[in-house]
Coordinates of all heavy atoms in Angstrom, one line a residue:
Chain C
E340 N 141.1 92.4 115.1 CA 142.2 93.2 115.6 C 141.9 94.7 115.5 O 142.3 95.5 116.4 CB 143.4 92.9 114.7 CG 144.8 93.2 115.4 CD 145.9 92.7 114.5 OE1 145.7 91.8 113.7 OE2 147.0 93.3 114.6
L341 N 141.2 95.1 114.5 CA 140.8 96.5 114.3 C 139.9 96.9 115.5 O 140.0 98.0 116.0 CB 140.1 96.7 113.0 CG 141.0 96.8 111.8 CD1 140.2 96.8 110.5 CD2 141.9 98.0 111.8
M342 N 139.0 96.0 115.9 CA 138.1 96.3 117.0 C 138.9 96.5 118.3 O 138.6 97.4 119.0 CB 137.2 95.1 117.2 CG 136.0 95.1 116.2 SD 134.9 93.9 116.7 CE 133.7 94.0 115.3
S343 N 140.0 95.8 118.5 CA 140.7 95.9 119.7 C 141.5 97.3 119.7 O 141.9 97.8 120.7 CB 141.7 94.8 119.9 OG 142.7 94.8 118.9
L344 N 141.6 97.9 118.5 CA 142.3 99.2 118.4 C 141.3 100.3 118.6 O 141.6 101.5 118.5 CB 143.0 99.3 117.1 CG 144.2 98.4 116.8 CD1 144.6 98.5 115.4 CD2 145.3 98.7 117.8
S345 N 140.0 99.9 118.7 CA 139.0 101.0 118.6 C 139.2 102.0 119.7 O 139.6 101.7 120.8 CB 137.6 100.3 118.8 OG 137.4 100.0 120.1
G346 N 138.9 103.2 119.4 CA 139.0 104.2 120.4 C 140.4 104.8 120.5 O 140.7 105.7 121.2
S347 N 141.4 104.2 119.8 CA 142.7 104.7 119.9 C 143.0 105.8 118.9 O 144.0 106.4 118.8 CB 143.7 103.5 119.6 OG 143.6 103.1 118.3
Y348 N 142.0 106.0 118.0 CA 142.1 107.1 117.0 C 141.6 108.4 117.6 O 140.7 108.4 118.4 CB 141.3 106.8 115.8 CG 141.5 105.4 115.3 CD1 140.4 104.5 115.4 CD2 142.7 104.9 114.8 CE1 140.5 103.2 115.0 CE2 142.8 103.6 114.4 CZ 141.7 102.8 114.5 OH 141.8 101.5 114.1
P349 N 142.2 109.5 117.2 CA 141.7 110.8 117.7 C 140.3 111.0 117.2 O 139.9 110.5 116.2 CB 142.7 111.8 117.1 CG 143.4 111.1 116.0 CD 143.4 109.7 116.4
L350 N 139.6 111.8 118.0 CA 138.1 112.0 117.7 C 137.9 112.5 116.3 O 136.9 112.0 115.6 CB 137.5 112.9 118.7 CG 136.0 113.1 118.7 CD1 135.3 111.7 118.8 CD2 135.5 114.0 119.7
K351 N 138.7 113.4 115.8 CA 138.4 114.0 114.5 C 138.5 113.0 113.4 O 137.7 112.9 112.5 CB 139.2 115.2 114.3 CG 138.6 116.4 115.0 CD 139.4 117.7 114.8 CE 138.8 118.6 115.8 NZ 139.7 119.6 116.3
L352 N 139.6 112.1 113.6 CA 139.7 111.1 112.6 C 138.6 110.1 112.7 O 138.0 109.7 111.6 CB 141.1 110.3 112.9 CG 141.3 109.2 111.9 CD1 141.5 109.7 110.5 CD2 142.5 108.4 112.3
Q353 N 138.2 109.8 113.9 CA 137.0 108.9 114.1 C 135.8 109.4 113.3 O 135.1 108.7 112.7 CB 136.7 108.7 115.6 CG 137.5 107.8 116.3 CD 136.8 107.4 117.6 OE1 135.6 107.4 117.7 NE2 137.7 107.0 118.6
L354 N 135.6 110.7 113.5 CA 134.4 111.3 112.9 C 134.5 111.2 111.4 O 133.5 110.8 110.7 CB 134.2 112.8 113.3 CG 133.6 113.0 114.7 CD1 133.7 114.4 115.1 CD2 132.2 112.5 114.7
L355 N 135.7 111.5 110.8 CA 135.8 111.4 109.4 C 135.6 110.0 108.9 O 134.8 109.8 107.9 CB 137.3 111.8 109.0 CG 137.5 113.3 108.8 CD1 139.0 113.6 108.5 CD2 136.6 113.9 107.7
L356 N 136.2 109.1 109.6 CA 136.0 107.7 109.1 C 134.6 107.3 109.3 O 134.0 106.6 108.5 CB 136.9 106.8 110.0 CG 138.4 106.9 109.6 CD1 139.2 106.1 110.6 CD2 138.6 106.3 108.2
W357 N 134.0 107.7 110.4 CA 132.6 107.4 110.7 C 131.7 107.8 109.5 O 130.9 107.1 109.0 CB 132.1 108.1 112.0 CG 130.9 107.5 112.6 CD1 130.9 106.5 113.6 CD2 129.6 107.7 112.2 NE1 129.6 106.2 113.9 CE2 128.8 106.9 113.1 CE3 128.9 108.6 111.3 CZ2 127.4 106.9 113.0 CZ3 127.6 108.6 111.3 CH2 126.8 107.8 112.1
F358 N 132.0 109.0 109.0 CA 131.1 109.5 107.9 C 131.4 108.8 106.7 O 130.5 108.5 105.8 CB 131.3 111.0 107.7 CG 130.5 111.8 108.7 CD1 131.1 112.6 109.7 CD2 129.1 111.8 108.7 CE1 130.4 113.3 110.6 CE2 128.4 112.5 109.6 CZ 129.0 113.2 110.6
A359 N 132.7 108.4 106.5 CA 133.0 107.6 105.3 C 132.2 106.3 105.3 O 131.6 105.9 104.3 CB 134.5 107.3 105.2
F360 N 132.1 105.6 106.4 CA 131.4 104.4 106.5 C 129.9 104.7 106.4 O 129.1 103.9 105.9 CB 131.7 103.6 107.8 CG 133.0 102.9 107.7 CD1 134.2 103.5 108.0 CD2 133.1 101.6 107.3 CE1 135.4 102.9 107.9 CE2 134.3 100.9 107.2 CZ 135.5 101.6 107.5
F361 N 129.5 105.7 107.1 CA 128.1 106.1 107.1 C 127.6 106.2 105.7 O 126.4 105.8 105.4 CB 127.9 107.4 107.8 CG 126.5 108.0 107.8 CD1 125.5 107.5 108.5 CD2 126.3 109.1 106.9 CE1 124.3 108.0 108.4 CE2 125.0 109.6 106.8 CZ 124.0 109.1 107.6
A362 N 128.4 106.8 104.8 CA 127.9 107.0 103.4 C 127.5 105.7 102.8 O 126.4 105.5 102.2 CB 129.0 107.6 102.6
A363 N 128.3 104.6 103.0 CA 128.0 103.3 102.4 C 126.8 102.7 103.1 O 125.9 102.2 102.4 CB 129.2 102.4 102.6
F364 N 126.8 102.8 104.4 CA 125.7 102.0 105.1 C 124.4 102.8 105.0 O 123.3 102.1 104.9 CB 126.1 101.8 106.6 CG 127.4 101.1 106.7 CD1 128.3 101.4 107.8 CD2 127.7 100.1 105.8 CE1 129.4 100.7 107.9 CE2 128.9 99.4 106.0 CZ 129.8 99.7 107.0
A365 N 124.4 104.1 105.0 CA 123.2 104.8 105.0 C 122.5 104.6 103.6 O 121.2 104.5 103.6 CB 123.4 106.3 105.2
V366 N 123.3 104.5 102.6 CA 122.7 104.3 101.3 C 122.0 102.9 101.2 O 120.9 102.7 100.8 CB 123.7 104.4 100.2 CG1 123.2 103.9 98.9 CG2 124.1 105.9 100.0
K367 N 122.7 101.9 101.8 CA 122.2 100.6 101.8 C 121.0 100.4 102.6 O 120.1 99.6 102.3 CB 123.3 99.6 102.3 CG 124.2 99.0 101.2 CD 123.5 97.9 100.5 CE 124.5 96.9 99.8 NZ 125.4 97.4 98.8
V368 N 120.9 101.1 103.8 CA 119.8 100.9 104.7 C 118.4 101.0 104.1 O 117.6 100.1 104.3 CB 120.0 101.8 106.0 CG1 118.7 101.8 106.8 CG2 121.1 101.2 106.8
P369 N 117.9 101.9 103.4 CA 118.5 103.3 103.1 C 117.9 104.3 104.1 O 116.8 104.2 104.5 CB 117.9 103.5 101.8 CG 116.6 102.8 101.7 CD 116.7 101.7 102.7
M370 N 118.7 105.2 104.5 CA 118.3 106.2 105.5 C 117.7 107.4 104.7 O 117.7 107.4 103.5 CB 119.4 106.7 106.4 CG 119.8 105.5 107.2 SD 121.0 105.9 108.5 CE 119.9 106.7 109.7
L371 N 117.2 108.3 105.5 CA 116.2 109.3 104.8 C 116.6 109.9 103.5 O 116.0 109.7 102.5 CB 115.7 110.3 105.8 CG 114.6 111.1 105.2 CD1 113.5 110.2 104.6 CD2 114.0 112.0 106.2
P372 N 117.7 110.8 103.5 CA 117.7 111.5 102.3 C 118.2 110.7 101.1 O 118.1 111.1 99.9 CB 118.8 112.6 102.6 CG 119.2 112.4 103.9 CD 118.7 111.1 104.4
V373 N 118.7 109.5 101.3 CA 119.3 108.7 100.2 C 118.5 107.4 100.0 O 119.0 106.4 99.6 CB 120.7 108.3 100.5 CG1 121.6 109.6 100.3 CG2 120.9 107.7 101.8
H374 N 117.2 107.6 100.1 CA 116.3 106.4 100.0 C 115.7 106.2 98.7 O 115.1 105.1 98.4 CB 115.2 106.5 101.1 CG 114.3 107.6 100.8 ND1 114.5 108.9 101.2 CD2 113.1 107.6 100.1 CE1 113.5 109.6 100.8 NE2 112.7 108.9 100.1
T375 N 115.8 107.2 97.8 CA 114.9 107.1 96.6 C 115.3 106.0 95.6 O 114.5 105.7 94.8 CB 114.9 108.4 95.9 OG1 116.3 108.8 95.6 CG2 114.3 109.5 96.7
W376 N 116.4 105.4 95.8 CA 116.7 104.3 94.9 C 115.9 103.1 95.2 O 115.6 102.3 94.3 CB 118.2 103.9 94.9 CG 118.7 103.3 96.2 CD1 119.2 104.0 97.3 CD2 118.7 102.0 96.7 NE1 119.5 103.2 98.3 CE2 119.2 101.9 98.0 CE3 118.3 100.8 96.0 CZ2 119.3 100.7 98.7 CZ3 118.4 99.6 96.8 CH2 118.9 99.6 98.1
L377 N 115.5 103.0 96.5 CA 114.8 101.7 96.9 C 113.5 101.5 96.2 O 113.2 100.5 95.7 CB 114.7 101.7 98.4 CG 114.2 100.4 99.0 CD1 115.2 99.3 98.8 CD2 113.8 100.4 100.4
P378 N 112.6 102.5 96.3 CA 111.3 102.3 95.6 C 111.4 102.0 94.1 O 110.7 101.1 93.6 CB 110.6 103.7 95.8 CG 111.2 104.3 97.0 CD 112.6 103.8 97.0
D379 N 112.3 102.7 93.5 CA 112.5 102.4 92.0 C 113.0 101.0 91.8 O 112.5 100.2 91.0 CB 113.5 103.4 91.4 CG 112.8 104.7 91.2 OD1 111.6 104.7 90.9 OD2 113.5 105.7 91.3
A380 N 114.0 100.6 92.6 CA 114.6 99.3 92.5 C 113.6 98.2 92.8 O 113.4 97.2 92.0 CB 115.9 99.1 93.4
H381 N 112.9 98.4 93.9 CA 111.9 97.4 94.3 C 110.8 97.2 93.2 O 110.3 96.1 92.9 CB 111.2 97.8 95.6 CG 111.8 97.1 96.8 ND1 112.2 95.8 96.8 CD2 112.1 97.6 98.0 CE1 112.7 95.5 97.9 NE2 112.7 96.6 98.7
T382 N 110.3 98.4 92.7 CA 109.2 98.4 91.8 C 109.6 97.6 90.5 O 108.8 96.8 90.0 CB 108.8 99.8 91.4 OG1 108.8 100.5 92.6 CG2 107.5 99.8 90.8
E383 N 110.8 97.8 90.0 CA 111.2 97.2 88.8 C 111.8 95.8 88.9 O 111.8 95.1 87.9 CB 112.2 98.1 88.0 CG 111.7 99.5 87.7 CD 110.4 99.5 86.9 OE1 110.2 98.5 86.1 OE2 109.6 100.4 86.9
A384 N 112.2 95.5 90.1 CA 112.9 94.2 90.2 C 111.9 93.0 90.1 O 110.7 93.2 90.4 CB 113.6 94.1 91.6
P385 N 112.4 91.9 89.6 CA 111.5 90.7 89.6 C 111.3 90.3 91.1 O 112.0 90.8 92.0 CB 112.3 89.7 88.9 CG 113.7 90.1 89.0 CD 113.7 91.6 89.1
A386 N 110.3 89.4 91.3 CA 110.0 89.0 92.7 C 111.2 88.6 93.5 O 111.4 89.1 94.6 CB 108.9 87.9 92.6
A387 N 112.0 87.7 92.9 CA 113.1 87.2 93.6 C 114.1 88.4 94.0 O 114.6 88.4 95.1 CB 113.9 86.2 92.8
G388 N 114.2 89.3 93.0 CA 115.1 90.4 93.3 C 114.6 91.3 94.4 O 115.3 91.7 95.3
S389 N 113.3 91.5 94.4 CA 112.7 92.3 95.5 C 112.9 91.6 96.9 O 113.2 92.2 97.9 CB 111.2 92.5 95.3 OG 111.0 93.4 94.3
V390 N 112.7 90.3 96.8 CA 112.8 89.5 98.1 C 114.3 89.7 98.6 O 114.5 89.9 99.8 CB 112.4 88.1 97.9 CG1 112.7 87.3 99.1 CG2 111.0 88.0 97.5
I391 N 115.2 89.5 97.7 CA 116.6 89.6 98.2 C 116.9 91.0 98.7 O 117.5 91.2 99.7 CB 117.6 89.2 97.0 CG1 117.5 87.7 96.7 CG2 119.0 89.5 97.4 CD1 118.2 87.3 95.5
L392 N 116.4 91.9 97.9 CA 116.7 93.3 98.3 C 116.1 93.6 99.7 O 116.8 94.2 100.5 CB 116.0 94.2 97.2 CG 116.5 95.5 96.9 CD1 117.9 95.5 96.5 CD2 115.7 96.1 95.7
A393 N 114.8 93.2 99.9 CA 114.2 93.5 101.1 C 114.7 92.7 102.3 O 114.9 93.2 103.4 CB 112.7 93.3 101.0
A394 N 114.9 91.4 102.0 CA 115.2 90.5 103.1 C 116.7 90.6 103.6 O 116.9 90.6 104.8 CB 114.9 89.1 102.7
V395 N 117.6 90.8 102.6 CA 119.0 90.7 103.1 C 119.8 91.9 102.7 O 120.4 92.5 103.5 CB 119.6 89.5 102.5 CG1 121.1 89.3 103.0 CG2 118.9 88.2 102.8
L396 N 119.6 92.4 101.4 CA 120.5 93.4 101.0 C 120.5 94.7 101.8 O 121.5 95.2 102.2 CB 120.2 93.7 99.5 CG 121.4 94.3 98.8 CD1 121.6 93.6 97.5 CD2 121.2 95.8 98.5
I397 N 119.3 95.2 102.1 CA 119.2 96.4 102.8 C 119.6 96.2 104.3 O 119.9 97.2 105.0 CB 117.9 97.1 102.6 CG1 116.7 96.3 103.2 CG2 117.6 97.5 101.2 CD1 115.4 97.1 103.1
K398 N 119.6 95.0 104.7 CA 120.0 94.7 106.1 C 121.5 94.9 106.2 O 122.0 95.2 107.3 CB 119.7 93.3 106.5 CG 118.3 92.9 106.4 CD 117.5 93.9 107.3 CE 116.0 93.7 107.0 NZ 115.6 93.6 105.7

Side-chain angles (χ1 to χ4, degrees):
Chain C
E340 202 176 333
L341 284 170
M342 279 186 184
S343 64
L344 296 171
S345 74
S347 64
Y348 316 109
L350 184 58
K351 280 180 190 151
L352 178 66
Q353 279 199 27
L354 280 171
L355 274 177
L356 288 171
W357 199 96
F358 279 114
F360 282 87
F361 171 77
F364 301 145
V366 167
K367 267 282 203 301
V368 164
M370 295 190 75
L371 187 54
V373 288
H374 65 276
T375 52
W376 65 270
L377 189 69
D379 283 327
H381 264 318
T382 316
E383 298 302 334
S389 289
V390 173
I391 291 173
L392 211 53
V395 185
L396 202 133
I397 61 176
K398 303 302 170 317

